[in-house]
Amino acid sequence: MNLPPYYARLSAMMFMQFGVYGLWLPIAAKFLTGDPATGGLGFNEDQAGAIVALAAAVGAICSPLIVQFADRRFRAQRFLGVLMVFGGILKLVVYTQSSFYAWLLLSVAFALLFMPATAIANALPMRHLSDPPRQFPLVRMWTAIAWVTVGWTFSAIVLNTNTQAQWLPPFFRGDEVEMAGAAMRKSVLWSGCLAIGYGIWAFFFLPDTPPNKSTDSDRPAITKALGMLRQPSFVVILGVSVLISAVHVIYFIQCAKFLGRVGLKDSSIIPTMAIGQLSELLMYVVLSRLLPRLGYKVIIIIGICAFAARFFLFGSVGLPYQAMIIGQALHGLCYAFFFSACFIYVDRVAPKDIRNSAQALYNFVFYGIGPLAAIALNSGLVKLLSKGEKTLTLEEFGPYWYTLGGISILALILFIALFRVAPENTEGKSS
């Protein structure tokens, strides 16, 4: 397969966009709720959930209003660069804070910049790809490479000393640094520095992507994007994404703590979770070949099934911890076959001049409504299963993960029953 034009630059964009998130998100709940004696911030479960999920939700909810300017007024690559530079500055500021309200407000402010940038990063390649179902997964796979690279590099340099390679997951070992919570917090500092450098690079070096000219200039882009709600298949995608996004966010809220319960050292958590991104990398290559052959419905069904399988495996807490580590590999199917297929499908059914806004509308659900549901569900389950304690024991994690598996099965049933693939939207395309 010939690589698409601008492949190197589009891939670098994906690498840095999600490297900014992958540096701190997997371990955020760990250092946010960690013991202040080891450098953690000592926040409770609800406070950590608000910083991880509520901030993202607010950013995603406001994202469509922000992104509509990129659709018709600004060059997408420059708008993206400005958002990321200011987002990186906010990350540097939040790193110096220790109070919950400072973390929450600054995290919300960061999300108001990062979520629109993510919508643009998902939509921008589509402007330069001639065959998105085949080519976009080869660009998108660099998000997985980013999570593996930044996560393992950070763990090896910051969280370990005397690091040595080994054959078994997480593939290296070493002496864990003292004050692990304080060391984990440095991931926020790394993230801010990467975001600033990425934003400057994006502004000057991404492919020129001028604003789309609308054939219906009197209607705001976001209003036209909302008109897509008249398409039944798009509504089904959004509805099922609420359920899957909720359990996906909870995975990130609880997985680091769960892996600690099953026996992993703090310094091994990021590289262990990165096994999922290694699998995701492989799945993007597979997706580029299978999506044109199997179609959107079959691919998305496989992705939802992977979510259910992972949660039911995690719920079997009597298994050796190596089984839980191997279960991380299911993340590749979860993310690539569900979310990436949904991104491509949104581009397929959206009019050309509002594709940034259509992606922002999908992000509104994926990063906005889903995380809000995740906060409520996570808080309710923890209070129900932990008998009022702040965190779950290993045994209590069993019914916790089984509940999320049940929600995944519900999403699967609804999708199979209601989804029908719509024809491609050719509005604005040259004949």
Side-chain angles (χ1 to χ4, degrees):
M1 180 189 300
N2 293 327
L3 294 177
Y6 306 115
Y7 178 76
R9 280 183 275 176
L10 294 174
S11 299
M13 176 195 69
M14 285 292 182
F15 181 96
M16 289 186 278
Q17 181 72 32
F18 287 85
V20 168
Y21 219 39
L23 267 166
W24 66 274
L25 181 63
I27 55 172
K30 188 76 175 175
F31 66 74
L32 289 173
T33 60
D35 187 346
T38 64
L41 291 168
F43 300 153
N44 62 36
E45 190 78 29
D46 289 342
Q47 289 173 328
I51 292 169
V52 173
L54 179 61
V58 172
I61 288 169
C62 297
S63 178
L65 300 176
I66 298 171
V67 171
Q68 68 173 323
F69 291 101
D71 262 328
R72 294 177 179 171
R73 292 174 176 83
F74 300 106
R75 296 181 181 276
Q77 80 279 6
R78 293 181 180 174
F79 195 69
L80 172 64
V82 170
L83 291 174
M84 292 309 301
V85 167
F86 282 100
I89 293 171
L90 287 174
K91 276 295 178 190
L92 300 184
V93 174
V94 75
Y95 171 71
T96 66
Q97 306 301 309
S98 58
S99 74
F100 164 66
Y101 288 107
W103 267 82
L104 179 62
L105 292 175
L106 288 168
S107 296
V108 169
F110 171 77
L112 287 171
L113 301 174
F114 182 80
M115 293 305 166
T118 299
I120 294 170
N122 282 327
L124 189 148
M126 304 299 183
R127 296 276 300 275
H128 302 282
L129 300 177
S130 59
D131 187 4
R134 292 183 182 275
Q135 296 171 341
F136 183 72
L138 299 179
V139 174
R140 181 77 186 185
M141 71 180 187
W142 286 89
T143 66
I145 296 174
W147 279 61
V148 173
T149 303
V150 301
W152 286 18
T153 301
F154 179 80
S155 293
I157 295 175
V158 180
L159 302 182
N160 278 279
T161 59
N162 303 318
T163 305
Q164 299 177 5
Q166 66 178 24
W167 288 106
L168 297 175
F171 305 114
F172 68 80
R173 56 187 171 87
D175 300 323
E176 192 167 275
V177 298
E178 297 181 1
M179 301 292 288
M184 284 184 171
R185 285 175 59 189
K186 291 181 181 178
S187 63
V188 177
L189 179 63
W190 279 42
S191 176
C193 293
L194 176 59
I196 293 171
Y198 163 47
I200 294 170
W201 175 85
F203 189 93
F204 290 105
F205 296 108
L206 274 177
D208 187 40
T209 312
N212 281 301
K213 296 187 180 298
S214 174
T215 57
D216 190 5
S217 57
D218 292 334
R219 295 177 63 194
I222 188 59
T223 301
K224 193 172 179 181
L226 288 172
M228 292 176 62
L229 295 176
R230 291 191 294 268
Q231 300 183 30
S233 70
F234 185 66
V235 173
V236 174
I237 286 285
L238 294 183
V240 171
S241 291
V242 170
L243 298 175
I244 296 299
S245 173
V247 297
H248 176 72
V249 170
I250 291 178
Y251 162 79
F252 280 109
I253 293 175
Q254 292 291 357
C255 190
K257 289 181 280 187
F258 171 68
L259 292 175
R261 291 293 190 193
V262 300
L264 266 71
K265 298 187 301 181
D266 287 347
S267 58
S268 298
I269 289 174
I270 289 182
T272 298
M273 293 182 70
I275 293 171
Q277 277 67 48
L278 286 174
S279 168
E280 186 181 343
L281 172 60
L282 174 62
M283 289 302 106
Y284 281 127
V285 177
V286 174
L287 181 64
S288 70
R289 297 179 179 275
L290 288 187
L291 182 55
R293 297 180 184 179
L294 300 183
Y296 291 93
K297 186 165 187 175
V298 172
I299 290 294
I300 292 174
I301 286 173
I302 294 172
I304 299 174
C305 288
F307 273 99
R310 179 174 61 180
F311 290 132
F312 287 131
L313 177 61
F314 281 4
S316 304
V317 294
L319 296 175
Y321 80 89
Q322 290 89 346
M324 305 303 175
I325 294 175
I326 293 172
Q328 290 294 118
L330 288 169
H331 178 81
L333 277 173
C334 294
Y335 202 95
F337 277 53
F338 183 80
F339 289 119
S340 293
C342 287
F343 291 144
I344 299 170
Y345 186 79
V346 169
D347 183 77
R348 169 193 172 91
V349 298
K352 181 180 178 181
D353 65 312
I354 60 158
R355 284 177 179 168
N356 287 349
S357 290
Q359 292 290 351
L361 182 59
Y362 182 74
N363 280 4
F364 168 83
V365 170
F366 177 25
Y367 292 112
I369 304 302
L372 288 177
I375 293 170
L377 180 59
N378 176 65
S379 178
L381 285 175
V382 170
K383 290 176 182 176
L384 176 66
L385 298 173
S386 67
K387 302 178 178 61
E389 299 296 326
K390 289 177 63 176
T391 58
L392 297 168
T393 66
L394 181 58
E395 291 73 21
E396 290 165 346
F397 264 116
Y400 183 92
W401 294 125
Y402 281 143
T403 301
L404 301 189
I407 294 172
S408 303
I409 293 296
L410 173 62
L412 176 65
I413 294 171
L414 292 174
F415 184 79
I416 291 174
L418 300 176
F419 182 77
R420 302 291 183 272
V421 177
E424 182 177 4
N425 192 314
T426 58
E427 180 180 340
K429 290 190 175 183
S430 59
S431 57

